[in-house]
Amino acid sequence: MISLHAIQIWSALWFFMDALLLYLVKGLAMLGILFGMTVPAAFIRDMIVLVTLHVSTLHWVMSLLYSQQITSISSFMALVQASLNQNFL
């Protein structure tokens, strides 16, 4: 249910951004003419980083959780192995 709301919000944002996209492209062209190609290239790279920020944040959180899970499982396995190796007789 949450993913459907996220898709709907994303499509609404792109609907409004579509009108601004033409001005963005024209602005990038003017920056390229005035300051050379490096400024628009850096701006496009920054926009790509901002657009994919949610993916990199999600990756960081998931890898942190995975690391915690692996550490917990390995600790639990060490505990189980230690209790199995004890001689109760």
Side-chain angles (χ1 to χ4, degrees), residues 2-88:
I2 294 173
S3 62
L4 293 176
H5 291 298
I7 292 170
Q8 194 172 23
I9 290 170
W10 186 252
S11 66
L13 284 175
W14 274 112
F15 177 75
F16 292 114
M17 290 299 292
D18 188 36
L20 297 174
L21 191 61
L22 180 64
Y23 295 116
L24 180 69
V25 170
K26 285 182 180 179
L28 282 174
M30 288 303 294
L31 285 174
I33 290 170
L34 294 175
F35 299 112
M37 192 57 198
T38 58
V39 171
F43 184 71
I44 289 172
R45 184 210 173 267
D46 290 342
M47 288 296 112
I48 290 172
V49 168
L50 283 176
V51 167
T52 59
L53 185 64
H54 68 287
V55 175
S56 38
T57 304
L58 183 64
H59 176 268
W60 178 77
V61 168
M62 295 288 249
S63 64
L64 184 67
L65 287 174
Y66 180 73
S67 171
Q68 291 294 322
Q69 286 177 345
I70 293 297
T71 304
S72 300
I73 290 172
S74 64
S75 299
F76 179 70
M77 289 303 295
L79 181 67
V80 168
Q81 285 177 351
S83 67
L84 289 178
N85 288 336
Q86 287 181 352
N87 189 0
F88 292 111

